[in-house]
Amino acid sequence: MVDLYICVPDSRAALAWYVEHLGARVSVEPMVGEDGSVGHCEFTAFGGRVMMSDEFEAFDVAAPLPDRGAAVTLVVSADDLDSLANSVSAGGARITRGPEPGGPTGRILVFRDPFGHRWMVLG
């Protein structure tokens, strides 16, 4: 298992989206700084832990640009790719592949969430 740490423009909105559309569970509530930004929160999804924060220019931490190609793909596994595709699509994610047969990986679903992160889900 690998823990992930991602950055988004708005952690509160992203956390709500991940709970609603990925079935995530909040494990650490947002820790809010004096300026109102979220410095840290955590959720569990797909059997792993994802830590998240808002952007912090002082620490050179920035969210991905949704209109640009992804530098990183978050690869996870799930059982029901069809239901997941319906859920993320309803939430505004852009599906770029599948769900469809994915060769030796079984089935595959690839999408960009509304916060710019690219997910590859194997099932």
Side-chain angles (χ1 to χ4, degrees):
M1 179 179 74
V2 173
D3 292 333
L4 306 172
Y5 208 119
I6 62 175
C7 177
V8 294
D10 182 345
S11 290
R12 291 175 191 89
L15 193 58
W17 193 92
Y18 294 139
V19 166
E20 181 175 353
H21 298 286
L22 298 184
R25 292 178 180 239
V26 177
S27 51
V28 176
E29 293 290 335
M31 298 175 186
V32 180
E34 290 179 14
D35 64 355
S37 64
V38 174
H40 184 83
C41 61
E42 297 182 17
F43 64 90
T44 57
F46 306 109
R49 176 174 72 157
V50 179
M51 297 168 277
M52 183 169 59
S53 75
D54 288 350
E55 297 180 304
F56 283 97
E57 187 175 335
F59 293 110
D60 201 23
V61 175
L65 300 173
D67 59 343
R68 185 174 160 196
V72 173
T73 299
L74 309 174
V75 181
V76 296
S77 296
D79 293 327
D80 188 350
L81 271 56
D82 296 302
S83 293
L84 181 60
N86 290 335
S87 181
V88 299
S89 180
R94 181 172 47 95
I95 295 178
T96 58
R97 183 173 176 197
E100 63 189 36
T105 63
R107 296 186 77 217
I108 187 170
L109 167 67
V110 180
F111 65 91
R112 284 289 287 267
D113 70 31
F115 311 97
H117 291 285
R118 182 176 190 261
W119 295 79
M120 178 184 293
V121 187
L122 307 175

